[in-house]
């Protein structure tokens, strides 16, 4: 069953994501947590997300040397048998998908219009500021011609972008603690003003009710097995055809997977340009360092454990403005000067030998799929 509709302040456009079938949270406990540490953690995620955008504008640095090959690339995104219940420690400043609803079963002969939806990330907080930088959130809209009802479907982080990108260093725990889940959200209605004012609301296809119902079954399975958000795309260079080490798993990837699946079901898409925001890290070939137990466990590598925690320390929450600026300099020193980045992917830590241009935000065209063909790499 899908979660409730997100309000303007909590939708994916405000947190770079979408939501469907995430586990239910204990309401009383959640409210109590949000009054305390949870709210502070949510505020911190805004700061570090903005820091990422600042780093993306920094000029590049000299290339780092590569490391020995470990496997074929990119590393496949790991799927799971079921979605775990969130740890009570993890709290979002803005409730995830607060008014979502189950995906309805459509009449088989219904004609369902499909819309591409796009708006600036965090529009409710920053207006069109990030839209000028082409940092956009993606979603999908549907309209039943039989009932006239509209629906929105999107996928985003349960605990805001910062918590999905960097961990918490809790004094009582040896290993970094991650508050990272993403899920899909389906709700009735399309906020036309929200999507049209600074973004996109355009019809891309018409499907049958049967296709919609097939899609709904697929979305449930996709949402229950793909449970973690991944901010970064990691490549060897910006050059066309360069090796991809890791793919992101975010709102735009959900839209692309859904469009691809609809094409498999027989949907025919219009021939219109569709662009998506992607955040890239550039590095030499990554090295797998191990998982939480092998690094931070009783017999783990204490030197490596300390290095990873030191790397993540500047990203900690609860910072004053002065602390934030000082820590930003530490991040610059680690990532740019010393060309180091520790990535957490599929519950494993990876070392990235960073190289020019290090980090970049792009707004790339990814065409709509052809009938009965899937998008490569999804």
């Amino acid at each position: 069953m899908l979660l409730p509709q997100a309000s303007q302040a909590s939708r994916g456009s405000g947190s770079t994501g979408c939501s469907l079938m995430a586990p239910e949270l204990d309401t009383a406990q959640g409210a109590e947590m949000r009054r305390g540490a949870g709210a502070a953690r949510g505020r911190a995620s805004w700061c570090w997300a903005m820091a990422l955008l600042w780093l993306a504008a920094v000029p590049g640095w000299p290339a780092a040397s590569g490391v020995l090959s470990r496997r074929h690339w990119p590393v496949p995104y790991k799927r799971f048998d079921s979605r775990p219940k969130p740890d009570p420690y993890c709290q979002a400043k803005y409730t995830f998908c607060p008014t979502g609803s189950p995906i309805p079963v459509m009449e088989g002969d219904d004609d369902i219009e499909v819309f591409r939806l796009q708006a600036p990330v965090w529009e409710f907080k920053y207006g069109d500021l990030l839209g000028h930088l082409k940092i956009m959130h993606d979603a999908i809209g549907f309209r039943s011609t039989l009932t006239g009802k509209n629906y929105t479907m999107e996928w985003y982080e349960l605990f805001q972008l910062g918590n999905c990108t960097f961990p918490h260093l809790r004094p009582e725990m040896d290993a970094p603690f991650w508050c990272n889940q993403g899920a899909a959200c389906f709700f009735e209605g399309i906020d036309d003003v929200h999507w049209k004012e600074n973004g996109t609301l355009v019809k891309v296809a018409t499907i049958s009710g049967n296709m919609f119902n097939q899609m709904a079954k697929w979305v449930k399975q996709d949402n229950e097995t793909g449970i973690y958000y991944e901010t970064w795309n990691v490549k060897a260079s910006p050059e066309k055809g360069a090796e991809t080490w890791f793919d992101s798993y975010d709102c735009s990837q959900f839209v692309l997977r859904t469009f691809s699946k609809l094409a498999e079901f027989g949907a025919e898409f219009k021939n219109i340009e569709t662009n998506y925001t992607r955040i890239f890290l550039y590095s030499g070939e990554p090295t797998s360092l191990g998982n939480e137990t092998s690094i931070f466990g009783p017999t783990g590598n204490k030197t490596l454990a300390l290095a990873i925690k030191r790397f993540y320390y500047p990203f900690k929450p609860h910072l004053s403005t002065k602390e934030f600026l000082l820590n930003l300099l530490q991040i610059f020193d680690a990532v740019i000067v010393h060309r180091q980045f520790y990535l957490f992917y599929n519950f494993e830590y990876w070392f990235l030998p960073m190289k020019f241009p290090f980090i970049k935000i792009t707004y790339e065209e990814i065409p709509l799929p052809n009938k009965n063909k899937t998008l490569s790499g999804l």
Side-chain angles (χ1 to χ4, degrees):
M1 181 173 183
L2 305 183
L3 291 188
Q5 170 187 3
S7 63
Q8 173 106 358
S10 61
R11 273 204 302 265
S13 57
S15 61
T16 67
C18 333
S19 128
L20 184 95
M21 302 185 177
E24 296 184 1
L25 303 178
D26 185 295
T27 305
Q29 183 182 42
E32 183 177 353
M33 293 292 289
R34 280 190 289 274
R35 287 195 292 269
R41 286 191 287 275
R43 289 192 296 273
S45 69
W46 297 108
C47 297
W48 288 125
M50 294 305 294
L52 298 179
L53 305 182
W54 177 85
L55 280 175
V58 173
W61 316 278
S65 60
V67 293
L68 294 177
S69 177
R70 179 180 182 274
R71 62 175 73 192
H72 294 292
W73 307 100
V75 174
Y77 177 86
K78 184 177 180 180
R79 290 189 173 269
F80 296 83
D81 293 333
S82 61
R83 178 179 292 276
K85 185 175 181 180
D87 190 293
Y89 178 86
C90 301
Q91 296 292 322
K93 182 177 182 180
Y94 301 105
T95 303
F96 174 83
C97 197
T99 58
S101 60
I103 300 179
V105 177
M106 299 294 189
E107 295 292 335
D109 59 349
D110 195 354
D111 287 326
I112 312 294
E113 295 177 321
V114 182
F115 299 90
R116 183 191 183 221
L117 308 178
Q118 190 174 75
V121 166
W122 302 318
E123 185 183 35
F124 72 93
K125 187 175 181 71
Y126 299 113
D128 192 32
L129 173 63
L130 298 183
H132 291 299
L133 301 175
K134 296 300 182 182
I135 302 174
M136 311 294 280
H137 165 66
D138 298 280
I140 305 174
F142 302 97
R143 178 181 179 274
S144 165
T145 57
L146 282 181
T147 66
K149 290 185 176 181
N150 299 323
Y151 304 92
T152 300
M153 184 170 72
E154 51 187 358
W155 195 98
Y156 66 101
E157 328 87 71
L158 269 65
F159 311 112
Q160 274 77 65
L161 180 61
N163 283 317
C164 291
T165 309
F166 301 107
H168 296 267
L169 300 180
R170 299 171 63 177
E172 71 275 18
M173 292 184 173
D174 293 326
F177 181 83
W178 291 86
C179 289
N180 183 3
Q181 279 199 50
C185 178
F186 187 93
F187 55 90
E188 185 174 341
I190 295 177
D191 187 344
D192 289 15
V193 174
H194 168 69
W195 299 107
K196 286 182 177 179
E197 187 173 22
N198 297 309
T200 300
L201 193 165
V202 59
K203 181 180 173 181
V204 294
T206 299
I207 62 176
S208 68
N210 285 330
M211 288 183 196
F212 180 91
N213 295 335
Q214 285 180 284
M215 180 209 69
K217 292 179 181 178
W218 170 82
V219 167
K220 182 177 186 297
Q221 182 273 335
D222 181 80
N223 189 69
E224 290 177 347
T225 60
I227 59 180
Y228 291 101
Y229 189 98
E230 179 51 53
T231 302
W232 310 107
N233 295 274
V234 187
K235 294 187 67 174
S237 80
E239 299 299 322
K240 185 176 181 180
E243 190 78 71
T244 296
W245 311 122
F246 302 93
D247 287 314
S248 62
Y249 197 87
D250 55 14
C251 63
S252 65
Q253 290 295 319
F254 174 74
V255 169
L256 290 168
R257 287 197 308 279
T258 304
F259 285 166
S260 179
K261 187 58 64 172
L262 286 174
E264 284 185 26
F265 296 150
E268 296 186 21
F269 286 85
K270 293 185 175 183
N271 184 21
I272 60 175
E273 182 175 338
T274 50
N275 290 46
Y276 300 89
T277 300
R278 305 180 77 188
I279 306 178
F280 286 93
L281 297 177
Y282 299 104
S283 81
E285 190 163 322
T287 302
S288 177
L289 303 175
N291 58 26
E292 178 179 312
T293 301
S294 65
I295 299 173
F296 300 96
T299 59
N301 186 328
K302 290 182 170 50
T303 301
L304 178 57
L306 181 60
I308 293 174
K309 293 174 79 169
R310 281 178 173 171
F311 173 79
Y312 284 127
Y313 181 81
F315 296 97
K316 66 179 182 177
H318 316 306
L319 298 177
S320 66
T321 301
K322 180 180 179 180
E323 289 174 323
F324 174 76
L325 294 175
L326 290 174
N327 283 7
L328 198 57
L329 292 177
Q330 293 182 44
I331 296 168
F332 185 91
D333 181 70
V335 177
I336 300 175
V337 178
H338 289 91
R339 303 185 295 277
Q340 299 177 349
F341 196 100
Y342 289 96
L343 177 72
F344 190 61
Y345 195 91
N346 287 349
F347 288 91
E348 288 187 348
Y349 287 91
W350 297 78
F351 176 76
L352 307 181
M354 300 295 287
K355 64 180 185 179
F356 181 87
F358 303 96
I359 182 171
K360 186 178 182 181
I361 297 175
T362 67
Y363 189 63
E364 300 180 343
E365 180 182 7
I366 302 178
L368 290 165
N370 294 321
K371 184 177 180 180
N372 298 325
K373 292 183 180 180
T374 58
L375 293 174
S376 61
L378 295 182

